[in-house]
Each structure stands twice: as structure tokens, then as C-alpha cells.
Amino acid sequence: MYQRKKRRPVAEINVVPYIDVMLVLLIIFMATAPLITHGVKVDLPKMTESDLVDTKDAPPIIASIDAQGKYYVSVGTDPEAPMEALDVAAVIKLQLMKNPDVPVMIKGSGKVSYQEVLLLMDFLKSAGVPSVGLMTESFEGTK
């Protein structure tokens, strides 16, 4: 009688396709890695005069922060007197109650920390300011 050979199932995994895929991915990552930037040095923009804020009806309310972190508002009894951030938000809230269409701008010194500007923006948001603009320097100087 004819005896049949017993075949065992092969328990090996063919790894050649996996190696091919791995090498393709390695080449892709090596080619794209130099294109990825982890951080960018950012300088505040300088712009020419812009028509983004129409100030024909009323001048904008300007909240300023100087290099020492003191806050000022362009409206009120004494615009040159330093104020606390909560007082700035209160003054601007009163002005917006009188005229809600007045634009609000933030003018920050280049030496003030970004955290101070964010803090002022947070106080203005809690005071009900719908949006704020950030002032920049002009290429051609002030007109």
C-alpha cells in the first residue's frame, strides 16, 4: 500500500514584505525630517497703514502695556495714569456700554511678556469685549 507522507504546516512568517515596507517608511521619514520645524522665531509684524479698523465714527479704545507691565487706557479722566488690569477692563466696559461699536485695541511694548498681553485679553473678554485688535509698528512711521 502506498504510504502518504505527512506534511507539517510551516510555522514561519515571511518577513521580506515587512522589511520592504519598513525600508520605504525609513526613506520617507529621512526625506521629510529636515522639512519639519520645531520652533520659529517670531518678530511682531510691521505694516503700512491699514483700513481694517474704521475709526471715522469714534476713535478706538486703546489699552496699553508698557515695558514695566503697567496698564493704561486711552479714555477716562487721566489716560497717562497707570491702572490695574481689572480697572482697565472696568473702564472699557463702561465705554462699551455707551457705544458698543467702538473698536478695542491692545498696544503692548515689545519688551513686555506675552503672558501680560494674554492676561489683559482675558480681563477684556470677561468685561464683555467681543474682539480686540493688536497694534503694530508702521513701516513708514506714524502719519
Side-chain angles (χ1 to χ4, degrees), residues 41-97:
K41 182 180 177 186
V42 176
D43 293 326
L44 290 177
K46 295 184 180 189
M47 297 176 59
T48 56
E49 188 173 336
S50 175
D51 294 331
L52 292 176
V53 177
D54 187 16
T55 59
K56 293 176 185 171
D57 296 334
I61 300 171
I62 300 174
S64 304
I65 307 171
D66 66 3
Q68 288 78 30
K70 296 178 184 172
Y71 298 97
Y72 303 90
V73 179
S74 65
V75 294
T77 56
D78 187 9
E80 297 295 320
M83 306 173 80
E84 293 293 322
L86 286 172
D87 297 333
V88 170
V91 168
I92 292 176
K93 185 175 184 177
L94 286 174
Q95 292 297 319
L96 288 177
M97 286 179 165

Side-chain angles (χ1 to χ4, degrees), residues 8-16 18:
R8 294 175 126 193
V10 177
E12 295 177 10
I13 297 175
N14 190 2
V15 294
V16 174
Y18 298 114

Side-chain angles (χ1 to χ4, degrees), residues 4 20 22 33 46 61 77 92 94 99 101 114 129 135:
R4 219 167 125 182
D20 291 342
M22 182 187 65
K46 295 184 180 189
I61 300 171
T77 56
I92 292 176
L94 286 174
N99 187 359
D101 296 330
Y114 186 63
V129 176
M135 295 182 74

Side-chain angles (χ1 to χ4, degrees), residues 1-7:
M1 190 162 184
Y2 179 77
Q3 203 172 33
R4 219 167 125 182
K5 279 186 171 179
K6 269 190 156 183
R7 285 193 181 187

